[in-house]
Amino acid sequence: MGHDLHAEAFVRAHTRPAPVPYVPEVRLRVAGAGEERDETNGELYEIWERAGGLPFWAYPWAGGQALARHVLDHPETVRGRTVLDLATGSGLVAVAAALAGAALVVANDVDPYALAAVRLNAAANGVAVRVLGGDLLDGAPPQEVVLAGDVFYESPLALRVTPFLARAAGKVLTGVPDRACSYLPEGVFEPVGVHEVPTLLEDAPRKRTTIYRLSGQ
């Protein structure tokens, strides 16, 4: 419990509540809220150094924003169902799923600071989200819906995530920004929607992001 409280205190110290640009129904604790791009980049590196890892939990990334928007615009995707938000980061997608009426939302991440951010962000939005730490990728997700906001940005992760998602018992959706370093595998997913998402930490102020579902679903 002491470690949980330390992680929550760290997240509080380095973030501020703000509406998510593309999903204003959701407020998150984010770093660099209201700052210019250069200032945000500077804060990113400061938190990275102090946390010992890239703080995916401190920003609403393009893939997560697009997927959260998709879930809120199509609540029937998750309503009344069990949901896993894989590599949850800030918990944005998990919160959106809970707001859309999911029966149970599990938010998973390997970073204890991310789990702390999820707890804080779920409480701030008045929803219940169950946090689950650890690496799940050697197993098979039993939830009825699996949401993966932005998991194809590096090859080693993509090579493990793809078979994990293919083993899912239920529906799978992922949000994938257009990047030179995207490792989305060919022939595994099919597009179901496209979004132009405002961003701070990408190479452009807006990022075209596609929602994909596992082929054959």
Side-chain angles (χ1 to χ4, degrees), residues 33-112:
E35 295 180 356
E36 296 298 325
R37 185 178 298 266
D38 290 344
E39 294 172 331
T40 300
N41 286 338
E43 190 161 13
L44 165 67
Y45 289 115
E46 179 184 350
I47 301 172
W48 190 344
E49 182 177 358
R50 294 190 180 194
L54 185 61
F56 292 108
W57 47 268
Y59 301 91
W61 299 86
Q65 287 196 71
L67 191 52
R69 181 76 272 151
H70 181 88
V71 167
L72 287 173
D73 290 347
H74 304 279
E76 68 280 1
T77 303
V78 300
R79 186 185 295 124
R81 297 176 177 175
T82 58
V83 175
L84 172 66
D85 178 18
L86 181 68
T88 186
S90 66
L92 168 58
V93 176
V95 168
L99 290 172
L104 171 67
V105 181
V106 177
N108 166 251
D109 209 288
V110 297
D111 186 343

Side-chain angles (χ1 to χ4, degrees), residues 163-187:
F164 174 80
L165 296 178
R167 292 191 294 268
K171 187 180 187 71
V172 174
L173 291 171
T174 183
V176 183
D178 284 358
R179 297 191 186 112
C181 58
S182 176
Y183 294 92
L184 185 76
E186 293 186 8

Side-chain angles (χ1 to χ4, degrees), residues 111-134:
D111 186 343
Y113 293 113
L115 302 180
V118 174
R119 287 190 289 265
L120 292 170
N121 288 327
N125 288 276
V127 296
V129 173
R130 181 181 300 174
V131 298
L132 176 63

